[in-house]
Amino acid sequence: MKNRYYMSLKGEERNMKKYKLVACGGTFDYFHKGHEAIIKKACEVGEQVVLGITTDKYVASHKQGLKISSYSKRKKEVEHFLNAEGLKHVRIVPLEDNEGTTVSRSDLQALVVTENTIKTAGLINARRVKHGFSPLEIINVPLILDQMDIPISSTRIRNGEISRNGKSWVKKEWLMKNLILPIILRQEFQKPWGEVVGEIVFKKNHPCITVGDITTIYANKHNIGQQLSVVDYIVERKKRFSSLEQLGFSGAETVHFIANPHGVIVKEMWPLMKKCFTSLFKNRAVILVNGEEDLCVAPLLLLAPLGYRVYYGQPNKGMVKVDVTEEMKGKVHELISQMKLL
């Protein structure tokens, strides 16, 4: 039976009346279209809006293990949206818990939520009634879906799956056909995509990936502990190695095999790399390419979670360090979109 304190009202089911004061809240990490929809609805139905953003203390105790931006950064992104939209009747408050002041404010009339937070709204109303206050009307905003009809979420953005607008970083057609590098794009792929460095510096907040045999040997020699390596036993177009032990691996790693010709990203590469990223915390992994891994940096950058760091070899220059960011994913997505499907 539906909790009687939900009083859930969907916009498409009734004409929304105007409230003097409404509230909404959340973490608002990687501010996206779904967040925009919640705030816009709150502003649409409320003359004044109290917008709660969870504090760093709340995140530390309730969202352990997630790499969530600081309160100040999240608040700044929300403020930027409010200013851009001209929404001046919104007051931002810090949230130390799930309720904030919603239980004790007699002047509050409604809560704007999604299906992900409607349970909390029901608990808030139950507590309000217990304390002698009227229950709030609950306005349930539909979740915003991405191109695959899956709800946009900060988690999926953080995991590197989609953009803040819900665009998938990997196109469907790339999973069905091989991608061929045209001559016109070769120069772009030969340029360093990041900083050329002489060493790999391990940082806990930047999980590491290596591409290329020499770069991987360096990482293993210096006990970097990279979570994933892509190798092909080839250096400067010549076969130099014949075993993973020669590259410094212990033999305890999970090894995946794939055939990938020079100048090509085979369609099988995408699901294989995705599989690796879903199981990296169980064991270190190696992708051993039969052919060449010359273009493997590109799919890695599109599939890796935000915050990862990729090191790969640059002929005659050294190693290139590339941080996996939203901007880098956008750049790589644009370049791969220009490759030929075969």
Side-chain angles (χ1 to χ4, degrees):
M1 180 181 295
K2 192 171 184 176
N3 190 315
R4 63 191 178 95
Y5 294 125
Y6 281 161
M7 297 179 65
S8 180
L9 306 170
K10 289 190 176 181
E12 66 269 24
E13 297 173 353
R14 55 158 289 174
N15 295 322
M16 301 305 298
K17 62 183 179 180
K18 199 79 171 175
Y19 305 96
K20 287 188 176 180
L21 182 65
V22 303
C24 62
T27 300
F28 297 103
D29 194 31
Y30 289 106
F31 191 82
H32 55 72
K33 288 179 70 175
H35 296 142
E36 293 179 8
I38 295 169
I39 296 174
K40 285 181 177 179
K41 176 57 70 175
C43 292
E44 176 187 324
V45 302
E47 294 178 9
Q48 297 293 323
V49 176
V50 176
L51 192 160
I53 301 178
T54 56
T55 62
D56 294 335
K57 181 179 178 181
Y58 176 94
V59 168
S61 61
H62 291 78
K63 298 180 181 290
Q64 296 179 359
L66 297 179
K67 296 179 180 179
I68 294 177
S69 303
S70 67
Y71 172 81
S72 60
K73 182 177 180 180
R74 290 181 280 121
K75 180 184 176 188
K76 187 175 181 180
E77 289 190 349
V78 174
E79 289 174 335
H80 177 78
F81 170 74
L82 295 175
N83 291 332
E85 295 291 323
L87 303 174
K88 302 184 182 300
H89 57 296
V90 179
R91 183 166 68 91
I92 297 176
V93 298
L95 278 181
E96 295 288 357
D97 52 46
N98 288 327
E99 300 169 352
T101 59
T102 56
V103 170
S104 58
R105 290 195 65 158
S106 59
D107 56 344
L108 188 62
Q109 295 175 295
L111 275 177
V112 177
V113 301
T114 68
E115 64 181 61
N116 292 335
T117 54
I118 197 169
K119 183 178 179 180
T120 299
L123 296 174
I124 288 172
N125 268 346
R127 291 198 62 190
R128 282 179 66 88
V129 171
K130 183 178 179 181
H131 288 82
F133 296 104
S134 300
L136 304 171
E137 290 202 50
I138 308 303
I139 299 139
N140 187 6
V141 179
L143 296 172
I144 303 299
L145 306 182
D146 68 4
Q147 295 174 332
M148 307 291 287
D149 290 331
I150 302 173
I152 297 173
S153 69
S154 300
T155 298
R156 296 183 63 221
I157 296 168
R158 192 182 303 114
N159 287 343
E161 299 173 28
I162 58 173
S163 72
R164 301 191 192 206
N165 291 324
K167 178 178 74 174
S168 175
W169 291 122
V170 178
K171 293 182 178 181
K172 288 182 180 179
E173 53 263 38
W174 300 350
L175 305 177
M176 297 182 285
K177 293 186 177 181
N178 295 340
L179 288 159
I180 311 299
L181 181 67
I183 295 176
I184 194 172
L185 285 181
R186 286 182 183 175
Q187 188 173 359
E188 286 298 322
F189 276 79
Q190 289 170 354
K191 293 178 181 177
W193 285 358
E195 179 186 0
V196 177
V197 297
E199 62 179 353
I200 298 177
V201 179
F202 173 77
K203 291 189 176 182
K204 189 175 181 180
N205 60 334
H206 286 291
C208 181
I209 300 168
T210 61
V211 180
D213 296 51
I214 300 302
T215 301
T216 298
I217 288 173
Y218 176 97
N220 285 335
K221 181 179 179 180
H222 292 83
N223 298 313
I224 297 300
Q226 70 275 16
Q227 292 187 326
L228 174 63
S229 296
V230 183
V231 298
D232 58 10
Y233 295 157
I234 295 174
V235 179
E236 295 182 354
R237 302 280 184 264
K238 296 181 180 180
K239 186 170 181 179
R240 290 272 303 275
F241 306 101
S242 58
S243 71
L244 292 177
E245 287 74 17
Q246 288 178 292
L247 305 183
F249 289 107
S250 66
E253 300 81 11
T254 300
V255 183
H256 304 274
F257 300 90
I258 190 169
N260 190 85
H262 170 67
V264 176
I265 301 175
V266 294
K267 61 182 184 294
E268 295 84 4
M269 187 67 74
W270 303 97
L272 173 58
M273 287 185 173
K274 186 173 182 179
K275 178 182 178 182
C276 289
F277 282 117
T278 59
S279 60
L280 281 184
F281 291 102
K282 298 178 182 178
N283 194 27
R284 293 176 64 196
V286 180
I287 295 177
L288 179 55
V289 178
N290 180 11
E292 292 193 22
E293 33 76 343
D294 54 332
L295 299 182
C296 287
V297 173
L300 281 171
L301 290 172
L302 288 187
L303 291 167
L306 299 178
Y308 269 64
R309 180 167 286 172
V310 178
Y311 288 90
Y312 69 92
Q314 185 76 13
N316 303 317
K317 291 188 177 181
M319 292 181 292
V320 178
K321 177 186 73 175
V322 188
D323 288 333
V324 180
T325 64
E326 295 170 272
E327 294 75 18
M328 180 55 66
K329 283 180 179 286
K331 173 184 176 181
V332 175
H333 183 273
E334 183 178 346
L335 283 173
I336 294 184
S337 296
Q338 299 175 59
M339 295 179 68
K340 294 180 179 180
L341 291 168
L342 181 63

